[in-house]
């Protein structure tokens, strides 16, 4: 008995030492240690303090760029502006989602009218029926949601929380349409016949709308009244870029070829997307976050990535400086050419000789040398949207930590970096400019950022 008692004491002592549980607060066990994953195509901006604003004489006499010290935290930023190829992926996902939804709804309607829509049918349009969720292995919560709400998704949407069939490819070749019902749905996606010429049906891009919701955390935090639902904002955004900007931005100018081909032709796949307004840029950020999180959920990975978003004005300027405080341009300055006379950015030099810097309009997003942080075209090529609302007095009244004014009521949004059509002054890292949020221009694009969580990069 004495030996048994000794063994018990030893086991208890070993267990106590191993668990470090002696009645002390040891913290919640959260599993594996968190490390931020570097997103594809992004670079880590280290954060820190810098002098934001004009430190030299401003020839335009700006009063909105009074220099001050601002500190920003770490974050990831896209190496380049979002390209036509990347934005096209967004547009095509929206297009395919809408088509699959319409096909599934039409299959639902046909199943009520005929007996052809029996469960398991894969003939004609019934190939695209809503995915029947197998609840055999569902947990109790999922069964409860299906019994009471019909699904685990957005029960207020047209799909009522049901899943779309993404396994069946969409047939775009009109000669291979499956049946009359399929033809009718696909026909509704194109412009009416009276808008057709030369026998070519053109997709009705006005139908391509991305619907999502966001929560106005800032207003909710400041509010002393109201419930959570009062701060949920529902957005319904047309995502197709305005390709006519190449004509509308220039009077008495022949820009028809680039108007017709810039967004969709493979020759311009790696050029920055333009003709997108602030709302479209923000919708792209939401979709980019959704795309990554959907993948993680499919892998049964509980980790949720920080959201992708537009950079604040302070984040943009800090990143543009590339670690060179008081520099005029992303490469330092004060000149726009190298010691060999080569232009360092795509802009409007030498009294309007647009092509002397190597490009008449925009160029590939990875053109010219990157700055000290590895970022391309932070000056010139395409000006870039930020999340910051423009206010002339914000430099004097704003915070010195992660400075930003995100006012949804203020439709003037800060753009930075200058573009292919701007003079060198607008390429300077401290120059501020703005456009209205619904503006669509041939010289404005965007890039995204993602918050860095924690302090370690190991």
């Amino acid at each position: 008995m004495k030996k048994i008692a000794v063994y018990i004491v030893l086991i208890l002592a070993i267990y106590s030492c191993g668990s470090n549980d002696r009645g002390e607060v040891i913290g919640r066990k959260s599993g594996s240690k968190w490390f931020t994953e570097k997103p594809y195509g992004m670079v880590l901006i280290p954060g820190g303090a810098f002098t934001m604003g004009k430190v030299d004489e401003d020839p335009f006499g700006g009063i909105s760029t009074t220099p001050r010290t601002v500190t920003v935290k770490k974050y990831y930023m896209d190496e380049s502006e979002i390209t036509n190829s990347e934005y096209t992926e967004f547009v095509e996902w929206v297009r395919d989602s809408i088509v699959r939804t319409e096909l599934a709804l039409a299959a639902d309607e046909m199943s009520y009218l005929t007996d052809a829509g029996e469960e398991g049918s894969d003939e004609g349009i019934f190939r695209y029926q809503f995915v029947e969720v197998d609840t055999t292995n569902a947990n109790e919560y999922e069964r409860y949601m299906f019994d009471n709400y019909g699904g685990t998704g957005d029960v207020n949407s047209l799909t009522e929380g049901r899943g779309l069939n993404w396994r069946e490819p969409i047939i775009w070749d009109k000669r291979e349409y499956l049946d009359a019902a399929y033809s009718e749905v696909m026909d509704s996606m194109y412009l009416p016949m009276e808008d057709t010429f030369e026998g070519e049906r053109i997709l009705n891009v006005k139908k391509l709308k991305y619907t999502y919701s966001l929560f106005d955390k800032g207003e909710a935090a400041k509010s002393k009244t109201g419930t959570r639902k009062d701060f949920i904002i529902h957005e319904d955004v047309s995502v197709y870029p305005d390709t006519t900007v190449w004509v509308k931005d220039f009077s008495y100018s022949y820009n028809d070829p680039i108007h017709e081909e810039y967004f969709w032709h493979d020759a311009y796949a790696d050029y920055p997307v333009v003709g997108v307004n602030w709302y479209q840029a923000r919708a792209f950020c939401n979709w980019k976050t959704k795309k990554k999180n959907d993948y993680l959920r499919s892998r049964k990975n509980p980790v949720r990535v920080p959201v992708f978003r537009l950079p604040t004005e302070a984040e943009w300027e800090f990143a543009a400086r590339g670690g060179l405080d008081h520099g005029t341009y992303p490469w330092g300055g004060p000149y726009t050419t190298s010691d060999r006379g080569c232009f360092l950015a795509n802009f409007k030099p030498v009294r309007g000789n647009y092509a002397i810097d190597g490009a008449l309009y925009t160029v590939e997003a990875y053109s010219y040398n990157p700055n000290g942080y590895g970022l391309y075209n932070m000056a010139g090529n395409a000006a870039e949207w930020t999340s910051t609302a423009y206010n002339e007095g914000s430099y004097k009244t704003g915070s010195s930590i992660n400075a930003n004014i995100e006012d949804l009521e203020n439709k003037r949004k800060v753009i930075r970096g200058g573009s292919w059509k701007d003079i060198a002054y607008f390429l300077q890292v401290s120059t501020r400019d703005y456009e209205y949020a619904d503006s669509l221009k041939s010289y404005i694009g965007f890039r995204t950022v993602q918050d860095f969580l924690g302090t370690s990069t190991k």
Side-chain angles (χ1 to χ4, degrees):
M1 291 297 293
K2 289 183 179 180
K3 289 184 178 181
I4 295 175
V6 171
Y7 290 147
I8 292 174
V9 170
L10 287 173
I11 292 171
L12 290 174
I14 293 170
Y15 176 78
S16 177
C17 292
S19 67
N20 196 31
D21 184 5
R22 299 179 181 178
E24 304 291 346
V25 175
I26 61 174
R28 176 179 65 88
K29 294 181 180 179
S30 58
S32 59
K33 187 174 178 60
W34 165 262
F35 292 108
T36 297
E37 177 187 359
K38 177 182 174 294
Y40 177 79
M42 295 184 120
V43 296
L44 178 64
I45 309 301
F50 73 108
T51 303
M52 185 176 180
K54 295 285 186 185
V55 294
D56 298 323
E57 183 179 355
D58 186 359
F60 283 77
I63 61 173
S64 65
T65 54
T66 306
R68 61 179 181 140
T69 300
V70 173
T71 305
V72 296
K73 57 182 177 55
K74 287 183 180 180
Y75 53 99
Y76 290 105
M77 177 177 261
D78 287 327
E79 292 176 330
S80 74
E81 300 119 337
I82 296 299
T83 63
N84 284 322
S85 175
E86 292 168 322
Y87 196 83
T88 296
E89 185 180 350
F90 173 43
V91 171
E92 290 183 347
W93 183 91
V94 172
R95 178 201 65 188
D96 291 356
S97 297
I98 293 171
V99 170
R100 291 181 188 281
T101 301
E102 294 297 329
L103 288 171
L105 291 172
D108 257 10
E109 184 177 355
M110 288 290 292
S111 67
Y112 291 125
L113 299 176
T114 68
D115 295 331
E118 295 178 358
E119 186 175 354
S121 173
D122 59 356
E123 297 298 324
I125 198 171
F126 295 110
R127 294 184 189 179
Y128 302 90
Q129 292 181 94
F130 287 112
V131 175
E132 294 294 333
V133 181
D134 183 8
T135 59
T136 305
N137 298 318
N139 57 42
E140 290 303 322
Y141 168 75
E142 291 171 335
R143 290 196 187 95
Y144 172 83
M145 291 296 290
F146 276 101
D147 291 342
N148 291 273
Y149 298 101
T152 59
D154 183 3
V155 296
N156 296 314
S157 70
L158 288 173
T159 62
E160 298 176 346
R162 295 172 294 176
L164 296 177
N165 182 1
W166 286 89
R167 295 187 301 273
E168 191 71 30
I170 297 174
I171 299 172
W172 294 100
D173 190 338
K174 301 174 183 61
R175 296 168 298 180
E176 299 179 5
Y177 283 177
L178 300 174
D179 52 30
Y182 186 93
S183 300
E184 183 178 1
V185 170
M186 298 303 288
D187 180 65
S188 69
M189 295 299 298
Y190 292 89
L191 291 173
M193 289 298 294
E194 55 265 27
D195 293 332
T196 300
F197 61 96
E198 296 183 347
E200 182 181 359
R201 299 296 303 277
I202 300 175
L203 195 70
N204 185 357
V205 296
K206 292 182 178 179
K207 285 182 171 286
L208 306 184
K209 293 186 176 182
Y210 180 69
T211 302
Y212 70 104
S213 300
L214 54 92
F215 186 69
D216 193 343
K217 298 181 291 291
E219 288 301 314
K222 291 183 291 185
S223 176
K224 296 181 180 179
T225 61
T227 61
R228 184 179 179 85
K229 65 180 178 60
D230 296 328
F231 303 101
I232 297 176
I233 302 171
H234 301 285
E235 297 284 352
D236 193 24
V237 181
S238 295
V239 300
Y240 201 83
D242 185 358
T243 57
T244 65
V245 293
W246 294 103
V247 174
K248 293 187 293 188
D249 285 349
F250 308 97
S251 300
Y252 309 109
S253 177
Y254 176 69
N255 293 315
D256 289 15
I258 198 166
H259 152 233
E260 294 171 2
E261 299 171 353
Y262 182 80
F263 178 60
W264 66 268
H265 199 286
D266 288 343
Y268 298 100
D270 296 326
Y271 285 57
V273 66
V274 295
V276 291
N277 61 33
W278 185 81
Y279 301 105
Q280 291 171 317
R282 191 173 60 163
F284 177 90
C285 294
N286 180 274
W287 170 79
K288 187 176 181 181
T289 306
K290 169 182 166 55
K291 177 179 168 65
K292 182 65 176 181
N293 282 327
D294 284 349
Y295 167 77
L296 293 175
R297 279 192 288 269
S298 72
R299 304 275 295 186
K300 299 189 183 301
N301 191 331
V303 175
R304 186 180 66 178
V305 299
V307 298
F308 294 98
R309 56 181 176 81
L310 294 175
T312 67
E313 183 180 17
E315 288 172 334
W316 192 97
E317 184 170 329
F318 181 86
R321 291 182 178 277
L324 302 174
D325 206 8
H326 303 297
T328 305
Y329 298 103
W331 50 86
Y335 306 108
T336 56
T337 56
S338 67
D339 54 0
R340 296 184 178 183
C342 298
F343 284 96
L344 300 171
N346 177 21
F347 65 112
K348 178 185 176 180
V350 194
R351 297 185 179 182
N353 188 347
Y354 288 95
I356 198 172
D357 58 12
L360 179 58
Y361 302 107
T362 54
V363 290
E364 290 91 339
Y366 283 88
S367 300
Y368 302 97
N369 292 325
N371 72 358
Y373 291 145
L375 302 170
Y376 291 82
N377 288 305
M378 292 299 281
N381 210 27
E384 299 172 16
W385 290 111
T386 72
S387 65
T388 303
Y390 181 80
N391 186 310
E392 287 188 352
S394 61
Y395 276 33
K396 296 180 179 179
T397 60
S399 172
S400 60
I401 300 177
N402 297 320
N404 189 37
I405 296 179
E406 195 161 349
D407 181 3
L408 297 179
E409 298 299 321
N410 185 347
K411 303 305 180 184
R412 298 191 300 175
K413 306 300 180 182
V414 174
I415 58 172
R416 286 301 203 106
S419 73
W420 61 270
K421 73 158 195 65
D422 290 316
I423 60 175
Y425 172 78
F426 291 99
L427 273 62
Q428 296 178 10
V429 291
S430 56
T431 298
R432 304 182 78 196
D433 200 1
Y434 72 86
E435 278 287 354
Y436 287 92
D438 59 356
S439 296
L440 298 155
K441 301 293 183 182
S442 61
Y443 47 85
I444 301 178
F446 68 100
R447 71 180 76 205
T448 69
V449 299
Q450 185 190 68
D451 292 322
F452 181 93
L453 303 184
T455 57
S456 175
T457 58
K458 295 181 180 179

